[in-house]
Amino acid sequence: MYDVIAFDADDTLWHSEPLYRATEEAFCGLLAGYHDAEAAVEALHQAEMQNIRYFGYGIRMFALSMIEAAIELSGGQIPTRDIQSIIDMAKGMREAPVRLFEHVEDVLASLSQSHTLMVITKGDLIDQEDKIARSGLAGYFTHIEIVSDKTSDVYRALLAKYSIDPRRFLMVGNSLKSDILPVVAIGGHAVFIPYELTWAYEHVTIPDEEDPKQYTELEHIGLLPEHIRQTSDG
Amino acid sequence: MYDVIAFDADDTLWHSEPLYRATEEAFCGLLAGYHDAEAAVEALHQAEMQNIRYFGYGIRMFALSMIEAAIELSGGQIPTRDIQSIIDMAKGMREAPVRLFEHVEDVLASLSQSHTLMVITKGDLIDQEDKIARSGLAGYFTHIEIVSDKTSDVYRALLAKYSIDPRRFLMVGNSLKSDILPVVAIGGHAVFIPYELTWAYEHVTIPDEEDPKQYTELEHIGLLPEHIRQTSDG
């Protein structure tokens, strides 16, 4: 049924968003003297949205956005030692341990015996390479592709590069916007594994006409091998 | 003689370092009330060297390093509006026009008719993708590879990925450390085109035993087609 199974990385193979949320909380703590947490988070998210075009995704963009939001929220009064703290928090994020989801290692070990596996992840080259290396999972993947955006065009180009027929390609991920809809749009298969926390930027509204769903939703990655067995038999 | 000719991008196809130097000058201007330019540049370079492991290469790392150096150089007294100015300078760098070297467009147009061309560049994914897109040169390249480091292992893996024989591979670049020596070490060919400005981090000392040189040095990229013709005849 599938020649190649590709996985998103952040919040699909390992937890990522909780690290951002924890840093966000520390950020709100620094700004508590000026604004409540809700206003601080709102200003931070606005800075992030504006900064994607300049600074892309990942920890460095997040750090620069926190600094800008802190200056704005404090009316310029934030002490420079707090700005240094923000940079230190970003360094801490880069060194945080990679926490795999339950079942991930078993699932990859099993599927890698019957399928070509790859990672297709969006974000910072160094963030992602470093996490893949430290995850201990690199050996399961034949190809690792780190892209700056996940559109249908990007998937189409990747599949062409590796001569993969979309009808024999399965993408697994936690973002409808980045992992599921663009793959379905080019005739590929997709398994959506929602994550309790999803970055606001990744939220999409799915138009009604997209039903019946052209993708499968699973509760956790441990159910993936059984799903693949079933669709392969079908 | 060569199946594939690969080019470094920054300071090989287009000017990059002058943009960093100009921003460095503006940075020294901001800090002029605390330290002279020499001390400011020294502190900035130290911050960069320490931050590569956290923040990689490129504009975002440079911005975060400028902020840290500014806080340090001013003993924490730098006003937050100057920190905002540093971030704004980084945004300006991302939007600066891509200035091609003379001859680049003609050389690529000519060589692309007889050879497979690729870009192998180190750095920030978004910096590099954006510059390649805005350079107008993307159409000449069959493959574009953006890597986080340029070691012999990285080149070996890339050549294996595209089934390129190192003996039929030519790398063209301005950094002995990143473009020339690691390629020569795996049996490939290299053309070194020195650039008047080179980031301190890219400087290497070449041991005497490496002579006679296993690479060719050219004054400018306009001389490349003639060099390739000569070696192909030889």
Side-chain angles (χ1 to χ4, degrees):
Chain A
M1 181 70 183
Y2 308 120
D3 295 326
V4 177
I5 305 173
F7 294 84
D8 171 55
D10 284 348
D11 297 322
T12 295
L13 299 177
W14 51 70
H15 299 268
S16 168
E17 193 62 20
L19 189 60
Y20 282 86
R21 297 293 170 102
T23 308
E24 212 168 80
E25 266 185 45
F27 171 80
C28 292
L30 282 179
L31 274 301
Y34 308 98
H35 279 285
D36 62 23
E38 200 183 333
V41 165
E42 174 62 25
L44 174 54
H45 285 187
Q46 279 193 11
E48 286 181 84
M49 292 310 112
Q50 285 163 12
N51 279 334
I52 288 170
R53 63 179 286 223
Y54 297 111
F55 301 129
Y57 302 92
I59 293 172
R60 296 174 290 184
M61 179 277 265
F62 190 57
L64 290 162
S65 299
M66 284 194 287
I67 294 170
E68 284 198 292
I71 292 172
E72 188 197 320
L73 286 161
S74 69
Q77 298 304 305
I78 185 105
T80 53
R81 68 169 176 280
D82 289 348
I83 291 178
Q84 183 62 54
S85 298
I86 289 172
I87 297 177
D88 292 340
M89 294 188 307
K91 292 179 185 175
M93 290 176 77
R94 280 273 298 148
E95 295 196 316
V98 177
R99 286 173 48 223
L100 298 184
F101 282 97
E102 216 182 333
H103 311 298
V104 160
E105 183 116 40
D106 290 347
V107 164
L108 296 179
S110 154
L111 292 178
S112 66
Q113 301 196 348
S114 45
H115 295 80
T116 296
L117 305 187
M118 63 190 289
V119 170
I120 303 179
T121 178
K122 184 172 74 176
D124 238 11
L125 192 58
I126 59 157
D127 285 4
Q128 296 296 327
E129 280 189 350
D130 186 65
K131 279 194 275 192
I132 291 165
R134 290 190 297 134
S135 72
L137 302 176
Y140 295 119
F141 300 109
T142 308
H143 308 296
I144 293 172
E145 287 287 344
I146 301 166
V147 296
S148 60
D149 208 359
K150 282 176 162 177
T151 61
S152 289
D153 283 345
V154 167
Y155 283 107
R156 197 179 286 115
L158 278 181
L159 267 56
K161 174 170 164 182
Y162 293 110
S163 305
I164 302 167
D165 180 344
R167 293 167 299 181
R168 301 188 57 82
F169 174 75
L170 174 66
M171 180 74 200
V172 180
N174 74 302
S175 167
L176 284 174
K177 178 180 172 183
S178 296
D179 304 317
I180 309 303
L181 301 181
V183 170
V184 166
I186 63 163
H189 302 269
V191 165
F192 174 47
I193 306 178
Y195 185 55
E196 59 202 293
L197 299 173
T198 298
W199 187 31
Y201 186 75
E202 295 293 336
H203 286 296
V204 283
T205 311
I206 301 179
D208 277 349
E209 60 265 31
E210 298 243 355
D211 270 316
K213 286 202 185 75
Q214 294 178 280
Y215 58 88
T216 303
E217 182 167 334
L218 297 178
E219 201 181 326
H220 61 79
I221 200 169
L223 303 172
L224 185 62
E226 178 57 25
H227 167 71
I228 288 171
R229 251 189 310 277
Q230 284 178 2
T231 48
S232 300
D233 290 348
Chain B
M1 179 73 182
Y2 308 120
D3 295 328
V4 177
I5 304 173
F7 294 84
D8 171 55
D10 283 348
D11 297 323
T12 295
L13 299 177
W14 50 71
H15 298 269
S16 168
E17 193 60 20
L19 190 58
Y20 282 87
R21 298 293 171 102
T23 308
E24 214 169 78
E25 265 185 45
F27 172 80
C28 292
L30 282 180
L31 274 301
Y34 308 99
H35 280 284
D36 62 22
E38 199 183 334
V41 165
E42 173 62 26
L44 174 54
H45 286 187
Q46 279 192 12
E48 286 182 84
M49 293 307 113
Q50 286 162 15
N51 279 335
I52 288 171
R53 63 178 286 223
Y54 298 110
F55 302 130
Y57 302 93
I59 292 171
R60 296 174 290 185
M61 179 277 266
F62 189 58
L64 289 162
S65 299
M66 283 194 288
I67 294 169
E68 284 196 292
I71 293 173
E72 189 199 319
L73 286 160
S74 69
Q77 298 305 304
I78 185 107
T80 54
R81 69 170 176 279
D82 288 349
I83 291 178
Q84 184 62 54
S85 297
I86 290 173
I87 297 177
D88 293 340
M89 293 188 310
K91 292 179 184 173
M93 290 176 76
R94 280 274 297 149
E95 296 196 316
V98 176
R99 284 173 49 224
L100 298 185
F101 282 96
E102 214 182 335
H103 310 298
V104 160
E105 185 117 38
D106 290 345
V107 164
L108 296 178
S110 154
L111 291 178
S112 67
Q113 302 198 348
S114 45
H115 295 81
T116 296
L117 304 188
M118 64 190 288
V119 170
I120 303 179
T121 176
K122 186 173 72 175
D124 239 12
L125 192 58
I126 57 158
D127 285 3
Q128 295 297 325
E129 279 189 350
D130 186 65
K131 279 194 277 193
I132 291 166
R134 291 191 295 133
S135 72
L137 302 177
Y140 295 119
F141 300 108
T142 308
H143 308 296
I144 292 172
E145 288 287 343
I146 300 165
V147 297
S148 61
D149 208 359
K150 282 177 162 176
T151 60
S152 289
D153 283 347
V154 167
Y155 282 107
R156 197 178 287 115
L158 279 181
L159 268 55
K161 174 170 165 183
Y162 293 110
S163 306
I164 302 168
D165 180 345
R167 291 166 300 181
R168 301 187 58 82
F169 174 75
L170 174 67
M171 180 74 200
V172 180
N174 74 304
S175 166
L176 283 173
K177 178 180 172 183
S178 296
D179 303 317
I180 310 302
L181 300 181
V183 170
V184 167
I186 63 164
H189 301 269
V191 165
F192 175 46
I193 306 178
Y195 185 55
E196 59 201 294
L197 299 173
T198 297
W199 188 30
Y201 185 75
E202 294 292 337
H203 286 296
V204 284
T205 312
I206 301 178
D208 278 349
E209 61 263 32
E210 299 243 358
D211 270 316
K213 286 202 185 77
Q214 294 179 279
Y215 58 88
T216 304
E217 184 168 332
L218 297 178
E219 201 182 327
H220 62 77
I221 200 168
L223 303 171
L224 186 62
E226 177 59 23
H227 166 71
I228 288 172
R229 249 190 311 276
Q230 282 177 2
T231 48
S232 300
D233 291 345

